Amino acid sequence: MRLLERILVNNPLYAWLQRREVANLYRLARLPAGLTILDLGCGRGVETALIADAFRPGRLVAFDLDRRQVQEAGRRLAHNGAAESALLLADASRLPFAAERFDAVVEMAVMHHVPDWQAALREVARVLKPGGSFHFVDISKRRYGIGMKLMGHDMQALFTIGGFRTALEEAGLTLERGIGRPVTPVFDMVGVARKAA
Ligand SMILES: C[S@@+](CC[C@H](N)C(=O)[O-])C[C@H]1O[C@@H](n2cnc3c(N)ncnc32)[C@H](O)[C@@H]1O
């Protein structure tokens, strides 16, 4: 991650936004406790701890592409007592997991960093169990295109809401709730998609 973005997402205000958005992702599709959940692109682990609190998984696996973020997440989760979580370094577009391993996958503000985000969505579908759910909150080209271009962001990684919806369907994920109405003004797309049972 670039320095500016690292500063934008590693601060108490962003942590407050995350708390509200994770609670909303849970509200959109309440899951029973005890499931196996993947936190895709966990950053510094704030969101991982929030997912543990809101979704009460039996097993929580979290990963990120950035070694420093994963290290910080490790320190945070150790402090947090989230002993059931496994943390690793991995790329969302090539997941190191067997097919049909997770009941749910949660992502916040990661897909717009992945140049081949369509492949990442296919990977989400692959690792979900039949009937499993994908909970996402992210930003789209519509609101952030110009700003991201000025920041030197990889524009291939940015999508329109319509393009994301189409790619979900092509990956075999049916949109169940959303896309729209995030609870904080930073994000402009949120939803839950499901793999066929
Ligand atoms: C804006 S931050 C969001 C982090 C976290 N989800 C949060 O909301 O705090 C984007 C994160 O995506 C990670 N990332 C970028 N490309 C990735 C990829 N291909 N696979 C996994 N993580 C990736 C970055 O390292 C960074 O931690």
Side-chain angles (χ1 to χ4, degrees):
M1 248 194 324
R2 287 162 185 272
L3 179 63
L4 178 57
E5 191 145 26
R6 197 178 285 279
I7 292 168
L8 286 174
V9 298
N10 290 348
N11 65 73
L13 176 60
Y14 186 74
W16 177 80
L17 299 177
Q18 285 179 295
R19 177 173 299 281
R20 300 202 55 205
E21 292 295 350
V22 169
N24 187 45
L25 287 178
Y26 176 70
R27 259 195 308 273
L28 285 176
R30 292 172 194 274
L31 300 179
L35 300 181
T36 301
I37 297 185
L38 178 65
D39 178 11
L40 182 151
C42 60
R44 60 184 182 139
V46 170
E47 148 197 313
T48 317
L50 292 170
I51 292 169
D53 284 348
F55 288 76
R56 291 168 294 131
R59 179 147 179 79
L60 180 56
V61 177
F63 74 90
D64 199 282
L65 186 64
D66 184 319
R67 187 177 298 278
R68 278 171 61 190
Q69 295 280 79
V70 171
Q71 283 167 347
E72 197 178 331
R75 285 191 287 275
R76 171 165 285 102
L77 296 173
H79 279 250
N80 222 321
E84 291 303 316
S85 56
L87 202 55
L88 60 151
L89 199 62
D91 181 347
S93 48
R94 290 167 15 148
L95 294 180
F97 307 115
E100 303 188 358
R101 166 134 185 235
F102 297 98
D103 297 293
V105 176
V106 181
E107 84 91 6
M108 179 183 289
V110 179
M111 286 295 175
H112 75 272
H113 285 277
V114 183
D116 197 351
W117 53 273
Q118 296 95 332
L121 291 180
R122 289 193 294 275
E123 282 292 82
V124 169
R126 184 181 67 77
V127 302
L128 275 176
K129 294 178 186 173
S133 52
F134 174 45
H135 308 236
F136 59 88
V137 57
D138 219 308
I139 62 172
S140 78
K141 211 180 216 170
R142 183 181 56 184
R143 190 186 295 172
Y144 289 95
I146 294 171
M148 287 295 195
K149 195 166 189 172
L150 292 175
M151 277 169 63
H153 191 83
D154 181 348
M155 295 305 283
Q156 206 185 320
L158 273 194
F159 33 77
T160 61
I161 291 177
F164 195 79
R165 186 190 291 260
T166 302
L168 280 171
E169 283 163 14
E170 286 172 355
L173 297 166
T174 304
L175 197 60
E176 201 174 80
R177 305 290 302 273
I179 298 175
R181 293 178 181 254
V183 288
T184 63
V186 170
F187 300 98
D188 66 347
M189 48 183 282
V190 64
V192 177
R194 195 170 295 281
K195 182 172 173 175

